[in-house]
């Protein structure tokens, strides 16, 4: 789906300028290792995702897919890190209440402003357009150290699960964040969400 707005175009230009679309593998580079996040049963779908899909139906109505993992080469890791940092620095953080007049509104930050889930959606889109598989790029809902709701993008790789967060430019293994993971998208179907780790009450909103 073609997305309107200057933000995606400027990000694509910035990626090309930084050379992130064609980074060579670096011999001898040490790659991080993570574990795979433990998954539970199917759970409720966040309202923000349902609302997003009503407005971007073409991006949600693609049916089941086989699970995939990113081959985490040094080039792939540098590209993931580059997209994470680039989006973090291109988008101005604004709460949903201030930006959209709603407690929880998921959208592409085409005006250069957005909340945590908007960052995650944009990173997901940019990485997909760069050739990464959608089934390995998973939106996730977490609770921070204060018990507040937050959203991040999880990248499932052959070296474990990593987190792209608008609050940190460093891409970390999921288990090395300070978050308590609640749920994420299923690899097989992005409209199905599954619990992560031990059962916990889901936050009412994700807004940070």
């Amino acid at each position: 789906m073609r997305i309107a707005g200057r933000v995606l175009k400027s990000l694509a230009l910035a990626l090309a300028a930084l050379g992130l679309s064609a980074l060579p593998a670096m011999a001898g580079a040490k790659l991080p290792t993570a574990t795979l996040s433990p998954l539970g049963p199917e759970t409720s779908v966040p309202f923000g995702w349902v609302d997003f899909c009503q407005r971007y139906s073409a991006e949600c109505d693609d049916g089941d897919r086989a699970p995939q993992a990113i081959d985490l080469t040094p080039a792939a890791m540098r590209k993931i890190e580059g997209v994470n940092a680039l989006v973090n620095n291109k988008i101005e953080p604004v709460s949903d209440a201030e930006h959209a007049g709603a407690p929880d509104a998921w959208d592409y930050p085409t005006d250069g402003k957005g909340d945590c889930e908007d960052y995650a959606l944009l990173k997901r889109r940019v990485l997909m357009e760069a050739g990464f598989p959608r089934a390995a790029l998973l939106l996730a809902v977490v609770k921070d150290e204060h018990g507040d709701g937050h959203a991040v993008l999880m990248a499932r790789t052959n070296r474990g699960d990593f987190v792209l967060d608008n609050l940190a430019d460093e891409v970390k293994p999921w288990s090395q964040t300070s978050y308590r993971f609640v749920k994420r998208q299923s690899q097989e179907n992005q409209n199905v969400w599954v619990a992560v780790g031990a059962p916990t009450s889901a936050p009412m909103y994700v807004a940070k």
Side-chain angles (χ1 to χ4, degrees):
M1 176 180 179
R2 185 177 179 182
I3 302 168
R6 292 173 294 181
V7 172
L8 288 178
K9 293 180 181 178
S10 66
L11 282 169
L13 291 173
L15 285 170
L18 291 173
L20 295 174
S21 60
L23 286 170
M26 297 175 293
K30 185 176 181 180
L31 286 167
T33 299
T35 59
L36 295 177
S37 53
L39 302 180
E42 290 186 18
T43 187
S44 60
V45 179
F47 168 78
W49 176 254
V50 175
D51 180 62
F52 173 85
C53 287
Q54 290 177 345
R55 287 175 287 111
Y56 296 91
S57 58
E59 294 197 33
C60 300
D61 297 340
D62 61 349
D64 293 346
R65 297 191 183 192
Q68 290 180 273
I70 296 167
D71 182 14
L72 197 64
T73 63
M77 188 63 182
R78 288 181 62 193
K79 189 179 293 185
I80 291 169
E81 291 175 334
V83 169
N84 186 59
L86 186 60
V87 172
N88 285 355
N89 288 279
K90 285 284 185 179
I91 305 304
E92 177 185 348
V94 180
S95 70
D96 284 334
E98 181 181 351
H99 189 219
D104 191 27
W106 296 25
D107 207 340
Y108 290 113
T110 53
D111 63 353
K113 300 178 181 180
D115 203 354
C116 55
E117 63 276 349
D118 307 330
Y119 283 81
L121 285 165
L122 181 55
K123 292 171 187 177
R124 180 175 180 263
R125 170 51 55 189
V126 172
L127 287 169
M128 286 168 59
E129 291 180 350
F132 289 86
R134 191 223 73 200
L137 299 169
L138 310 164
L139 300 171
V141 172
V142 303
K143 284 188 174 183
D144 66 17
E145 58 271 26
H146 305 295
D148 295 325
H150 185 48
V152 297
L153 181 65
M154 294 184 74
R156 172 146 289 199
T157 79
N158 61 345
R159 297 181 67 87
D161 291 343
F162 292 84
V163 171
L164 289 73
D165 190 353
N166 68 301
L167 301 180
D169 287 347
E170 181 184 359
V171 175
K172 296 181 180 181
W174 77 279
S175 59
Q176 293 182 18
T177 70
S178 60
Y179 301 136
R180 182 153 56 106
F181 283 74
V182 178
K183 54 188 172 184
R184 70 155 172 80
Q185 289 175 305
S186 165
Q187 284 194 280
E188 292 85 355
N189 189 322
Q190 63 180 340
N191 298 311
V192 173
W193 288 64
V194 294
V196 179
T200 182
S201 58
M204 184 177 298
Y205 303 121
V206 288
K208 178 161 287 190

